[in-house]
């Protein structure tokens, strides 16, 4: 019997118009020159997955409007990691220079047409030399860099749970202490401030591309489609061509889910298991299947940031907004949003120690690991080859596991 663990999404407030709505400045926003190579560098947790999904879904319609999407996948992560000489996620296959050179060839093949490349991992470029090389290889003065930004207070919980999905074992409040109070603020995740000290990130790319070829978009979370409309305006696309694509695999984990995974990380590291096993069974098995099978409800506890950290993030956000404003780049949206303090819940959720994961969620996570261990998808049908574990029915997974266990028993 299959387990139905879909539990409904939390309600979303659609009654909002921000500074990036089509009725505001976007209505008069000129498109970039024909032939521009628009490079969207993120950083992480600023709407990158949503825009990548929308661009990829519309890739066959873009050429009608003079725009090309040269990547062959929604997110050319391996190419970006190779360009920045950064390692893959824990246990994943290391990217090679070939990933980057293949993307460059596809960009070059777009000729004089406008093209768009998006990966938040370009924000991880380690130094000025690497940034300058990326800009030059993509086309030099044809490159226009787009940076999307959100307030730190909204990024921090999402980024922490993402680090946990890559093996982090530190709790949220302890992590905040290290990121905000313990100089030099580089442990356990030195990439955090390299990505999210946004003024320095923008400045690095300004030094390579020039202020006139860098645009900063301040994302207004109240305007769900604002980022889509901004990309349409910059690329000269008709309105509503870019549409959101559902992607449950990219949802953030709840507090209980993250704590379950964090404790699993502790056991995993404590027993010296290989990173490759983590990639296969945990991140791409248990976590992926859990996220695709179980949607959070309003009853699930979200990750709550303490007031002191929210205030600290606001102060840093104000510094960053002021510095970005002095760089001479074009800013779309309201920079004040970068240091606006989100409301602190009157009754915050229980501490991590009291977070409890629903039995069906734990079951789906365990099942995802078992399915990954069985090397699903099944390889004897063309349809199965295209499916991942979380897209395969529970009944089929049980049959596969059963057959493989029987084969092993017979061999023994």
């Amino acid at each position: 019997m299959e387990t139905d663990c879909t539990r409904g999404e939390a309600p979303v407030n659609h009654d909002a118009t921000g500074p990036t709505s089509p009725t505001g400045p976007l209505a008069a926003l000129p498109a970039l020159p024909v032939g521009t190579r628009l490079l969207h560098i993120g950083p992480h947790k600023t709407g990158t997955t949503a825009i990548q999904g929308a661009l990829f879904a519309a890739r066959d319609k873009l050429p009608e409007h003079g725009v090309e999407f040269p990547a062959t996948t929604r997110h050319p992560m391996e190419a970006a990691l190779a360009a920045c000489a950064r390692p893959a996620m824990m246990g994943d296959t290391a990217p090679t220079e070939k990933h980057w050179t293949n993307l460059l060839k596809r960009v070059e093949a777009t000729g004089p047409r406008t093209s768009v490349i998006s990966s938040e991992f370009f924000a991880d470029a380690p130094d000025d030399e690497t940034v300058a090389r990326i800009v030059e290889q993509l086309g030099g003065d044809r490159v226009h860099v787009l940076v999307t930004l959100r307030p730190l207070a909204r990024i921090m919980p999402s980024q922490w749970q993402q680090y946990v999905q890559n093996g982090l074992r530190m709790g949220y409040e302890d992590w905040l202490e290290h990121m905000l109070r313990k100089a030099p603020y580089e442990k356990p995740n030195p990439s955090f401030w390299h990505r999210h000290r946004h003024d320095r990130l923008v400045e690095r790319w300004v030094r390579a591309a020039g202020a006139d070829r860098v645009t900063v978009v301040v994302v207004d979370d109240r305007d769900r489609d604002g980022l889509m409309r901004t990309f349409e305006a910059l690329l000269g696309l008709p309105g509503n061509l870019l549409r959101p694509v559902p992607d449950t695999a990219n949802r953030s984990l709840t507090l209980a889910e993250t704590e379950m995974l964090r404790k699993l990380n502790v056991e995993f590291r404590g027993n010296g298991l290989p990173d490759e096993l983590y990639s296969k069974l945990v991140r791409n098995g248990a976590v992926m299947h859990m996220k695709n099978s179980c949607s959070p409800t309003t009853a699930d506890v979200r990750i709550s940031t303490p007031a002191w950290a929210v205030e600290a993030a606001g102060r840093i956000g104000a510094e960053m907004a002021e510095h970005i404003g002095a760089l001479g780049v074009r800013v779309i949206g309201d920079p004040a949003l970068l240091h606006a303090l989100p409301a602190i819940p009157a009754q915050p959720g229980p501490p991590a120690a009291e977070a409890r994961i629903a039995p069906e969620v734990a079951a789906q996570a365990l099942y995802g690991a078992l399915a990954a261990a069985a090397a699903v998808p099944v390889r004897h049908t063309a349809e199965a080859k295209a499916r991942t574990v979380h897209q395969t029915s529970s009944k089929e997974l049980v049959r596969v596991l059963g057959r493989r266990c029987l084969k092993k028993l017979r061999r023994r």
Side-chain angles (χ1 to χ4, degrees), residues 221-262:
D221 288 330
R222 300 167 299 174
D223 184 2
R224 288 170 59 89
D225 295 329
L227 188 56
M228 304 284 180
R229 307 292 79 83
T230 300
F231 267 78
E232 289 169 348
L234 290 173
L235 293 169
L237 299 173
N240 297 310
L241 178 66
L242 301 180
R243 307 298 301 168
V245 177
D247 185 6
T248 54
N250 189 55
R251 75 164 175 86
S252 292
L253 301 179
T254 65
L255 176 61
E257 290 170 341
T258 310
E259 282 298 307
M260 178 192 72
L261 179 58
R262 186 176 70 84

Side-chain angles (χ1 to χ4, degrees), residues 246-311:
D247 185 6
T248 54
N250 189 55
R251 75 164 175 86
S252 292
L253 301 179
T254 65
L255 176 61
E257 290 170 341
T258 310
E259 282 298 307
M260 178 192 72
L261 179 58
R262 186 176 70 84
K263 294 181 186 302
L264 175 59
N265 292 346
V266 172
E267 294 299 321
F268 191 95
R269 281 299 191 198
N271 287 281
L273 298 176
D275 289 352
E276 292 78 7
L277 201 62
Y278 187 90
S279 173
K280 179 178 180 180
L281 300 187
V282 180
R283 185 171 58 249
N284 294 310
V287 176
M288 186 68 74
H289 191 69
M290 178 179 68
K291 290 199 291 185
N292 277 273
S293 302
C294 305
S295 299
T297 70
T298 53
D300 287 302
V301 178
R302 268 44 174 196
I303 300 165
S304 178
T305 305
W308 70 264
V310 171
E311 292 167 1

Side-chain angles (χ1 to χ4, degrees), residues 109-151:
T110 64
R113 296 163 70 83
T114 299
S115 57
V116 55
I117 306 101
S118 174
S119 174
E120 56 270 36
F121 286 96
F122 284 115
D124 288 351
D127 50 40
D128 285 5
E129 181 181 356
T130 304
V131 171
R133 175 177 52 79
I134 291 170
V135 170
E136 184 60 30
Q137 289 179 320
L138 282 172
D141 58 8
R142 290 183 61 181
V143 175
H144 192 99
V145 179
L146 180 64
V147 188
T148 46
L149 300 181
R150 296 175 70 231

Side-chain angles (χ1 to χ4, degrees), residues 140-215:
D141 58 8
R142 290 183 61 181
V143 175
H144 192 99
V145 179
L146 180 64
V147 188
T148 46
L149 300 181
R150 296 175 70 231
L152 275 177
R154 294 191 178 278
I155 287 174
M156 291 187 302
S158 185
Q159 186 70 90
W160 170 71
Q161 61 86 35
Q162 191 66 55
Y163 282 130
V164 172
Q165 291 184 54
N166 197 36
L168 180 67
R169 291 163 285 169
M170 184 178 288
Y172 186 43
E173 294 209 21
D174 196 12
W175 182 82
L176 289 171
E177 286 277 349
H178 281 74
M179 291 296 101
L180 295 168
R181 286 178 168 174
K182 294 187 177 181
Y185 318 108
E186 294 179 349
K187 294 181 179 181
N189 301 113
S191 64
F192 180 79
W193 287 119
H194 189 77
R195 297 168 177 175
H196 296 301
R197 184 71 204 202
H198 297 148
D199 50 348
R200 296 171 188 165
L201 172 66
V202 173
E203 189 173 20
R204 284 195 295 275
W205 288 85
V206 164
R207 285 196 290 267
D212 59 328
R213 289 191 286 118
V214 175
T215 294

Side-chain angles (χ1 to χ4, degrees), residues 367-390:
Y367 190 73
L370 291 172
V376 175
V378 191
R379 298 190 180 276
H380 56 264
T381 66
E383 179 187 2
K385 287 182 181 180
R387 285 178 288 165
T388 55
V389 170
H390 59 270

